[in-house]
Amino acid sequence: MDSLQVAHLGPRKKRPRQTGASMASPPHDIKFRDLVLFILEKKMGTTRRAFLMELARRKGFRVENELSDSVTHIVAENNSGSEVLEWLQVQNVKASPQLELVDVSWLTECMRAGKPVEMTGKHQLVVRRGFSSSPSPEPQETPPLALKISPYSCQRRTTLNNCNHRFTDAFDILAENCEFRENEGSFVTYMRAASVLKSLPFTIVSMKDTEGIPCLGDEAKSIIEEIIEDGESSEVKAVLNDERYQSFKLFTSVFGVGLKTAEKWFRMGFRTLSKIRSDETLKFTRMQKAGFLYYEDLVSCVTRAEAEAVGVLVKEAVWAFLPDAFVTMTGGFRRGKKIGHDVDFLITSPGCTEEEEQQLLPKVINLWERKGLLLYYDLVESTFEKFKLPSRKVDALDHFQKCFLILKLHHQRVDGGKCSQQEGKTWKAIRVDLVMCPYDRRAFALLGWTGSRQFERDLRRYATHERKMILDNHALYDKTKRTFLEAESEEEIFAHLGLDYIDPWERNA
Ligand code: DCT
Ligand code: MG
């Protein structure tokens, strides 16, 4: 249970607190200092070059963005040595005798070995002089290495450094509009387009840059083209001005209001929240009443400092009843996000009985109620069954016991009370989700509750279509072997699926 222990801050073994800074993607250490690589874009293309550069750097190679005197190896693809020399001449660079001109096959072999491999004749680019009789180089076969961008986001690393905001914002809006119109097909198309662009290590500046990128159909490409040429998409503009989109966006911003209620209010002719709030014929659920009551607090996002303060509250309460429990902040904050719409926690205990497990959340709620911190709660009892096969649906809800809450967070508990802004009101209402899971399922629950939703959907899709396995928040089932695959950590689940491990801060798909 190694990785989980690091992630969980157990009461007994105190470990250094994970801060926002440590979540950032680490700079790459250079392991092989004798080599300085430059990868030629000519005939290779921007996308593939950027990926090779990123991959090589991740493996510890020094790769330069620009050609300079320090470069020792020029790596090229589909170029002969003469072509590379010609290119160097155009750049006004004189190739020193030490400079190696190598084929990309050398680099891909290095990537596979994780270190520089010996350079042999087949790697060296041949320079043909005039009409010499030396044979032209054999056409190089590119090894089947996974250097291409995967159509599954669980095979991509997506940090929060999105350098294609102008495109991904557009696709996010179009996807949301499809969601409001319950157009599942287009929703998925736009979500996948947004997601693949979020993973790119470079900014798209021309249509040439989109070559070889999966999940971009003709429709998505025409939107990208329009944004490149006109600075905006007419389709996105139309959505933003659409009355239905605006109303749905507004109505669903209220806690407890889903698509059905939004639809109903829109059809009834409502366009503002104040009209809805003051209408005496409308009936609201308990959730919606709380949603309106704490609306201002809930729409202003939760900051990391607030999330950490809630984390302290949760741990204090949980440890009062189960001192050996692990409490992990999951959701967007575990992925390194600085703000969120709620704070999600996973709770699990190695030593407790089933009854103690079932009693914990009710006890925690009861404690907060007595302290006057509970503004709203909805406890959902567990429907978890040990031997049930995982769900095949990519968006299925899980069966763990959970509690959706609105907590009263006093300003003084945040950052030592430094920013108690508002006069009068001394607290802020915060949405909190608590999930309680059996200890042997903690890795699956943690993976599922860390998100992002797109990452989870692709993990399940990948398991089903590429591995004949079924994955959900509770378990992983191998259909070929007809067995459940157990896991003590997220790393083990990725390994079962034959996937490279992707850290939480790289799951912002
Ligand atoms: N999740 C899940 N089952 C649910 C709800 C959520 O498995 N019933 C997963 C998907 C993502 C993760 O838990 C956290 O969900 P959210 O809080 O909705 O998303 P988030 O990524 O934390 O984003 P936000 O910052 O908006 O809270
Ligand atoms: Mg969340």
Side-chain angles (χ1 to χ4, degrees):
M1 58 157 288
D2 33 285
S3 86
L4 255 140
Q5 253 187 348
V6 178
H8 288 109
L9 294 173
R12 294 189 188 134
K13 299 176 191 167
K14 284 257 159 87
R15 284 195 165 78
R17 184 182 280 264
Q18 270 208 333
T19 62
S22 69
M23 289 293 209
S25 143
H28 305 294
D29 288 331
I30 296 172
K31 281 200 239 159
F32 315 109
R33 298 190 169 272
D34 298 341
L35 307 181
V36 183
L37 312 185
F38 174 79
I39 303 177
L40 192 62
E41 186 181 305
K42 188 169 160 270
K43 292 196 182 171
M44 177 183 281
T46 343
T47 316
R48 184 160 158 81
R49 177 179 186 251
F51 265 80
L52 285 170
M53 285 171 64
E54 167 71 17
L55 186 71
R57 283 175 181 157
R58 221 185 301 131
K59 302 255 176 186
F61 287 79
R62 177 170 161 197
V63 186
E64 298 292 280
N65 289 327
E66 312 279 342
L67 189 62
S68 69
D69 287 344
S70 54
V71 170
T72 60
H73 291 63
I74 295 186
V75 181
E77 184 165 45
N78 297 325
N79 281 282
S80 67
S82 322
E83 284 171 306
V84 177
L85 283 185
E86 221 169 85
W87 180 85
L88 285 170
Q89 258 165 10
V90 176
Q91 310 299 308
N92 239 337
V93 178
K94 228 180 142 240
S96 74
Q98 289 86 0
L99 187 65
E100 299 275 8
L101 309 184
V102 289
D103 185 75
V104 72
S105 58
W106 171 77
L107 184 63
T108 54
E109 276 173 42
C110 294
M111 296 301 96
R112 206 182 281 154
K115 58 179 190 217
V117 297
E118 198 191 336
M119 199 163 355
T120 62
K122 70 173 187 184
H123 298 127
Q124 266 145 352
L125 292 177
V126 181
V127 179
R128 276 173 289 159
R129 289 173 222 287
F131 292 101
S132 86
S133 57
S134 67
S136 62
E138 290 285 306
Q140 303 281 351
E141 209 181 298
T142 312
L145 194 71
L147 295 173
K148 289 217 318 266
I149 305 173
S150 169
Y152 294 102
S153 63
C154 55
Q155 288 188 303
R156 306 190 294 250
R157 293 172 199 274
T158 314
T159 64
L160 291 165
N161 309 324
N162 173 5
C163 44
N164 286 290
H165 262 296
R166 58 200 290 243
F167 307 109
T168 60
D169 287 352
F171 287 127
D172 282 339
I173 291 164
L174 294 172
E176 193 176 34
N177 186 49
C178 293
E179 197 180 10
F180 291 162
R181 291 174 182 273
E182 292 181 69
N183 182 348
E184 176 71 16
S186 300
F187 169 72
V188 170
T189 305
Y190 288 133
M191 287 297 284
R192 288 192 190 150
S195 173
V196 75
L197 297 184
K198 285 176 190 172
S199 76
L200 295 181
F202 60 90
T203 305
I204 288 179
V205 291
S206 80
M207 287 314 284
K208 205 173 154 280
D209 300 335
T210 65
E211 279 166 27
I213 300 178
C215 312
L216 295 180
D218 292 342
E219 215 186 327
K221 280 194 180 166
S222 76
I223 290 162
I224 295 177
E225 190 161 24
E226 208 187 335
I227 296 174
I228 291 173
E229 283 170 10
D230 309 338
E232 60 181 10
S233 147
S234 51
E235 215 170 311
V236 172
K237 226 170 140 184
V239 167
L240 289 174
N241 287 319
D242 177 49
E243 210 179 13
R244 186 188 158 96
Y245 174 82
Q246 290 172 352
S247 303
F248 269 61
K249 183 100 184 142
L250 182 66
F251 300 165
T252 56
S253 73
V254 181
F255 174 59
V257 178
L259 293 185
K260 280 209 183 71
T261 311
E263 176 92 50
K264 189 177 87 185
W265 291 346
F266 183 73
R267 286 216 189 145
M268 290 172 82
F270 288 108
R271 295 295 179 265
T272 64
L273 290 180
S274 63
K275 282 268 160 55
I276 293 170
R277 247 171 145 152
S278 58
D279 190 286
E280 283 173 11
T281 64
L282 287 176
K283 282 217 160 35
F284 301 119
T285 62
R286 206 167 62 84
M287 209 178 194
Q288 290 161 356
K289 281 180 196 160
F292 278 121
L293 202 52
Y294 307 112
Y295 183 76
E296 296 304 328
D297 278 359
L298 298 184
V299 284
S300 81
C301 286
V302 184
T303 64
R304 177 166 285 278
E306 287 162 349
E308 298 286 353
V310 173
V312 174
L313 267 179
V314 174
K315 282 169 194 162
E316 280 174 3
V318 167
W319 291 341
F321 306 108
L322 279 182
D324 76 342
F326 292 111
V327 177
T328 311
M329 197 188 290
T330 60
F333 286 109
R334 183 160 185 256
R335 301 196 308 274
K337 278 178 62 177
K338 294 213 163 61
I339 52 166
H341 95 282
D342 66 357
V343 201
D344 308 287
F345 293 94
L346 180 67
I347 304 164
T348 190
S349 148
C352 75
T353 63
E354 261 178 49
E355 184 169 345
E356 283 171 327
E357 188 180 302
Q358 199 230 322
Q359 280 308 310
L360 178 74
L361 290 186
K363 284 179 182 167
V364 167
I365 292 166
N366 188 276
L367 174 77
W368 283 337
E369 178 129 60
R370 279 184 279 127
K371 287 189 170 181
L373 298 179
L374 202 60
L375 299 174
Y376 168 88
Y377 82 91
D378 178 20
L379 180 71
V380 182
E381 281 304 340
S382 166
T383 52
F384 174 69
E385 293 168 48
K386 263 189 185 163
F387 303 107
K388 204 172 161 180
L389 288 191
S391 167
R392 286 160 199 276
K393 294 199 206 110
V394 284
D395 278 321
L397 296 179
D398 69 43
H399 298 282
F400 298 128
Q401 185 195 39
K402 54 181 86 68
C403 193
F404 306 110
L405 307 137
I406 301 178
L407 278 190
K408 183 187 264 192
L409 180 66
H410 288 284
H411 292 318
Q412 89 231 19
R413 293 196 69 112
V414 183
D415 265 348
K418 265 181 273 164
C419 54
S420 347
Q421 348 86 310
Q422 280 168 296
E423 277 179 35
K425 187 159 156 281
T426 57
W427 51 270
K428 180 176 169 184
I430 309 262
R431 272 274 301 113
V432 177
D433 287 348
L434 302 182
V435 181
M436 184 79 199
C437 79
Y439 190 66
D440 62 338
R441 304 308 170 100
R442 67 200 183 284
F444 297 100
L446 180 62
L447 181 60
W449 276 88
T450 298
S452 67
R453 278 171 197 274
Q454 186 61 31
F455 191 87
E456 302 299 327
R457 269 194 281 264
D458 280 355
L459 264 178
R460 294 178 188 197
R461 226 161 40 88
Y462 180 85
T464 305
H465 298 296
E466 308 295 332
R467 300 284 162 188
K468 286 203 167 66
M469 294 181 185
I470 324 173
L471 171 73
D472 70 3
N473 287 6
H474 320 93
L476 177 62
Y477 183 77
D478 185 328
K479 289 204 284 181
T480 316
K481 294 188 191 144
R482 299 195 181 175
T483 51
F484 282 94
L485 302 175
E486 288 176 11
E488 300 271 304
S489 66
E490 291 179 309
E491 282 87 342
E492 286 180 29
I493 303 174
F494 280 86
H496 281 317
L497 290 167
L499 289 169
D500 281 347
Y501 181 65
I502 306 284
D503 275 309
W505 56 88
E506 297 169 327
R507 298 181 203 161
N508 287 289

